[in-house]
Amino acid sequence: MSTRFPFTAVVGQQDLQLALLLNAVAPNIGGVLVRGEKGTAKSTAVRALAALLPEVEVVAGCRFSCDPVSPDPSCPDGPHAGEGAEARDARMVELPVGASEDRLVGALDIERALAEGVKAFEPGLLAAANRGILYVDEVNLLHDHLVDVLLDAAAMGASYVEREGVSVRHAARFLLVGTMNPEEGELRPQLLDRFGLTVEVAASREPDQRVEVVRRRLAYDDDPDAFAARWADEERAVRQRILAARELLPKVRLGDGALKQIAATCAAFEVDGMRADIVMARTATALAAWDGRSDVLAEDVRQAALLALPHRRRRNPFDAPGLDEDKLDQTLEESAGDDDDPDPDGPGGGGGQPSPSPEDGPQGGDAGAQPEAGEDGEPQPAAGGASEQAPARAAEPFRTKALTVPGVGAGAAGRRSRARTERGRTTGALRPRGALTKLHLAATVRAAAPHQRARGRSGPGLVLRRDDLRQAAREGREGNLVLFVVDASGSMAARQRMSAVKGAVLSLLLDAYQRRDKVGLVTFRGTAAEVALPPTSSVDAAAARLESLPTGGRTPLAAGLLKAHDVLRVERLRDPSRRALLVVVTDGRATGGPEPVALAGRAARLFGAESVASVVVDCESGPVRLGLAGRLAEELGGTAVTLDELRADAIAGLVRDVRGTTSRRAA
């Protein structure tokens, strides 16, 4: 086994180290979600933590790591009465992003269960991680149903496997750590809430600290064993401190004053539910134990808030995590109890995320920051020249009607279009390809029944052959690639009009976020088109690009469509199972170059020939309308809808129109 980078040798990530250590002291905190850009030692710190955890005593030969002092009575390898014990290092188990549900929770041998009545169970990663660490790198890319299973097991301390009436339960208590890069997409708010603590990490901007990072990494790469030996004393000291904190933890007193501060803080920041209060209480108690104290102080409550609340106060998908520390200090001061230290000014060692200062500009996916306007309310001229206007502010988003891709796909799990999936309603049965995962019991029995006499059946069980097994065919919903092609030309540049257009696109982005889509953004103006955002799962990144979108110039509609066609062609090669939905936001005008209208028509017909589902959002306004967007929709083989009709309460027939148009084109 290769030597791991020492935990104590990680430079400049004190908040991350503290959050991990607190969970090592009190695993019931609920784990850590580490958010940050690539190359910030997220994975290095998590992997290094495993070497600091104390050894665990397990029942000899138990695949589920049962504690010999109190073995799990429902352990599939039990009962364990009188069996020997052995000590081993705490495990760190990694869950790959592409893992199947059976790989995570384990698999039952359905064939033996039906024929012999035997619960033959092959443990999964949850069993291997029991009493250790379960690490999920890029947790935001994990399929939603796997995240649900994972977090349920972490909350209950047990894993349940149910297959056609046969069930197995085993203990699954582990320290859950997830890492993610927000640029690649966010976790849903309800899943964020299930992680106990969250930490934002970023590379230091201090040259001296960056030099030290490079120096230590090079020394480790040259001789890992010698480098680890240099840090052995520090590692040993931290390990002993974890053990001491675990022993002290049951004796720590959480007074009424501290509890009042916790409740007041959660109420002040309007977090949903009671999980935040419980996590803050456990974290504050662990902080006191980590510092060797038997009483929880106000500084512990403050530090717990900075670690437990930032990811729980997001009100919509485009809000950046964070906490207003001035408001936090004021709340702690106003709610200070008599039996606890009322000093709210103790820094508690930092932690959490600093609130953005005015000069920092917009943060993350915050779509609220806007450029300055002149005295007449119009934007100041942009640096690019008089023909380009500064970005307009997006209007308030609204709920849109669902746009779906016709037919039945087989793409990534999501909530937009119909698809053949592992989860959903059963629509039929088929012969399994590879391992059987979802048994269709009735179809299996029907396939085996005619052969029972010929196979010499004499007992109560069925005589099954591999060819009898039938897989359940299920239908659910998939996520699509929603590619936005947005007209940013001068014909769209009226301030109020562009604000409405951005509000409509932002509304569609919110819908894409909720339906687990990938999104891309192509814009066109002047003489060319550009890919403002390549297809990504980070919908908030698309919202940020939209917010800063300038307008002005001619309308190269054909260039925008051809650029979109190139994007879809490349994405088909990368992810052939993910179907696309093209959303063109324009008034339909085409200017610049020879025969711009004819050229745009030829470009549109490329999508019609390839049966790409498309919708044109018609932005034309004024008393006289040319209907150019409607003609573009016909060329695309899609449907057109006005900005007003895009609202959910106004276009009951839009999905039907999209499907009907595509069906007629296919015919």
Side-chain angles (χ1 to χ4, degrees):
M1 181 178 177
S2 61
T3 303
R4 287 175 175 158
F5 194 93
F7 185 84
T8 51
V10 175
V11 179
Q13 300 294 1
Q14 290 83 4
D15 296 342
L16 169 58
Q17 291 173 305
L18 178 62
L20 292 172
L21 290 169
L22 291 177
N23 272 271
V25 172
N28 62 357
I29 288 175
V32 184
L33 176 65
V34 187
R35 297 164 44 91
E37 59 196 23
K38 50 188 176 294
T40 49
K42 301 188 297 292
S43 300
T44 298
V46 174
R47 293 188 174 99
L49 177 68
L52 295 179
L53 296 182
E55 288 186 335
V56 294
E57 292 281 333
V58 299
V59 174
C62 178
R63 297 175 296 170
F64 303 87
S65 303
C66 279
D67 186 346
V69 176
S70 56
D72 181 7
S74 60
C75 176
D77 285 355
H80 292 305
E83 296 187 21
E86 60 183 8
R88 62 162 174 77
D89 293 336
R91 291 174 179 163
M92 193 197 76
V93 177
E94 295 194 42
L95 172 61
V97 169
S100 65
E101 185 175 344
D102 284 346
R103 181 75 181 103
L104 177 62
V105 302
L108 284 168
D109 190 331
I110 299 297
E111 189 172 353
R112 290 190 64 190
L114 290 176
E116 304 173 27
V118 175
K119 292 184 182 180
F121 180 66
E122 185 64 30
L125 296 176
L126 291 179
N130 189 31
R131 305 178 67 198
I133 300 174
L134 183 62
Y135 172 48
V136 189
D137 193 13
E138 307 293 355
V139 66
N140 50 324
L141 304 182
L142 199 65
H143 284 179
D144 286 343
H145 72 278
L146 291 183
V147 176
D148 291 337
V149 170
L150 182 65
L151 296 178
D152 284 344
M156 296 186 296
S159 174
Y160 295 85
V161 184
E162 302 281 347
R163 294 289 187 275
E164 303 298 337
V166 180
S167 62
V168 172
R169 174 204 173 277
H170 65 81
R173 297 180 178 87
F174 48 82
L175 168 54
L176 175 63
V177 182
T179 58
M180 60 175 284
N181 183 349
E183 293 178 356
E184 296 172 341
E186 286 284 0
L187 276 173
R188 288 177 288 157
Q190 59 266 45
L191 297 182
L192 279 172
D193 181 59
R194 297 295 292 272
F195 281 93
L197 309 179
T198 188
V199 178
E200 292 277 341
V201 296
S204 172
R205 300 298 184 257
E206 293 293 329
D208 291 343
Q209 196 170 79
R210 295 175 75 95
V211 167
E212 186 60 24
V213 170
V214 175
R215 182 180 289 120
R216 292 186 187 183
R217 185 69 212 189
L218 293 178
Y220 170 78
D221 291 341
D222 288 341
D223 192 341
D225 293 333
F227 184 80
R230 286 169 46 194
W231 294 89
D233 291 342
E234 288 84 349
E235 294 282 286
R236 191 177 303 109
V238 173
R239 190 180 299 109
Q240 292 300 320
R241 190 174 175 184
I242 292 173
L243 285 170
R246 284 185 174 184
E247 292 179 2
L248 180 59
L249 186 64
K251 305 172 186 175
V252 175
R253 173 179 171 269
L254 181 64
D256 290 342
L259 276 173
K260 181 180 178 182
Q261 287 183 313
I262 290 170
T265 301
C266 292
F269 285 98
E270 300 180 348
V271 296
D272 296 329
M274 295 299 297
R275 185 175 285 115
D277 304 64
I278 296 170
V279 171
M280 273 191 65
R282 290 171 175 168
T283 304
T285 303
L287 280 163
W290 178 248
D291 286 340
R293 291 183 275 102
S294 58
D295 285 291
V296 173
L297 305 180
E299 64 188 58
D300 299 322
V301 176
R302 185 182 192 277
Q303 178 71 68
L306 290 171
L307 293 171
L309 295 188
H311 60 302
R312 291 188 164 91
R313 61 176 303 274
R314 297 179 67 190
R315 312 314 297 177
N316 71 65
F318 303 146
D319 287 342
L323 213 61
D324 184 339
E325 294 194 41
D326 291 336
K327 180 179 179 180
L328 172 61
D329 291 337
Q330 181 182 354
T331 302
L332 292 173
E333 184 176 4
E334 292 174 352
S335 59
D338 296 331
D339 59 338
D340 286 291
D341 182 359
D343 179 16
D345 298 324
Q353 300 77 37
S355 57
S357 60
E359 62 269 19
D360 288 337
Q363 301 292 314
D366 184 2
Q370 299 300 327
E372 294 292 333
E375 294 181 359
D376 58 355
E378 287 299 309
Q380 296 297 311
S387 64
E388 180 179 293
Q389 296 186 12
R393 185 187 185 95
E396 281 296 313
F398 50 84
R399 188 170 65 89
T400 67
K401 272 289 187 178
L403 308 177
T404 64
V405 177
V408 180
R415 294 187 173 182
R416 183 171 296 279
S417 306
R418 294 172 55 201
R420 294 178 293 275
T421 61
E422 287 293 315
R423 303 170 72 87
R425 64 186 183 91
T426 300
T427 58
L430 46 84
R431 292 181 182 274
R433 297 178 180 177
L436 178 71
T437 55
K438 301 292 183 182
L439 177 73
H440 194 299
L441 182 58
T444 298
V445 172
R446 284 197 301 269
H451 308 292
Q452 296 305 294
R453 185 186 300 275
R455 293 173 183 173
R457 172 185 169 187
S458 58
L462 286 173
V463 180
L464 287 177
R465 299 287 186 268
R466 177 69 185 173
D467 289 344
D468 299 330
L469 298 177
R470 295 293 183 271
Q471 178 91 11
R474 300 190 175 186
E475 184 178 300
R477 293 280 170 178
E478 67 177 0
N480 298 117
L481 167 59
V482 182
L483 182 61
F484 294 93
V485 182
V486 179
D487 185 347
S489 66
S491 68
M492 300 281 289
R495 190 78 176 165
Q496 184 176 2
R497 185 179 178 192
M498 197 61 198
S499 176
V501 168
K502 285 189 175 183
V505 178
L506 186 63
S507 303
L508 290 167
L509 283 171
L510 280 166
D511 182 67
Y513 171 86
Q514 294 164 351
R515 297 182 188 278
R516 319 290 185 265
D517 294 317
K518 288 179 70 174
V519 297
L521 179 62
V522 173
T523 63
F524 59 93
R525 66 188 182 91
T527 60
E530 66 172 342
V531 181
L533 184 72
T536 175
S537 297
S538 181
V539 178
D540 51 348
R545 301 290 174 88
L546 175 72
E547 192 65 33
S548 61
L549 178 65
T551 57
R554 295 174 181 257
T555 312
L557 177 57
L561 294 174
L562 291 174
K563 182 69 72 174
H565 187 267
D566 287 342
V567 170
L568 293 184
R569 177 179 55 81
V570 173
E571 284 302 306
R572 284 193 204 100
L573 298 176
R574 290 177 177 170
D575 191 357
S577 63
R578 188 183 290 269
R579 298 185 294 161
L581 175 63
L582 183 73
V583 179
V584 184
V585 184
T586 181
D587 57 7
R589 298 173 188 268
T591 59
E595 299 184 344
V597 176
L599 187 59
R602 288 197 294 272
R605 286 191 289 275
L606 292 175
F607 295 93
E610 296 173 1
S611 298
V612 176
S614 58
V615 176
V616 177
V617 179
D618 184 359
C619 303
E620 190 175 27
S621 60
V624 179
R625 303 198 179 194
L626 303 178
L628 298 176
R631 278 184 239 164
L632 175 63
E634 292 178 4
E635 299 279 4
L636 288 167
T639 188
V641 55
T642 66
L643 286 173
D644 291 337
E645 292 171 340
L646 190 60
R647 295 178 181 272
D649 54 359
I651 51 170
L654 179 58
V655 174
R656 186 167 57 250
D657 292 343
V658 173
R659 291 175 176 166
T661 302
T662 305
S663 299
R664 290 193 299 273
R665 183 180 65 222

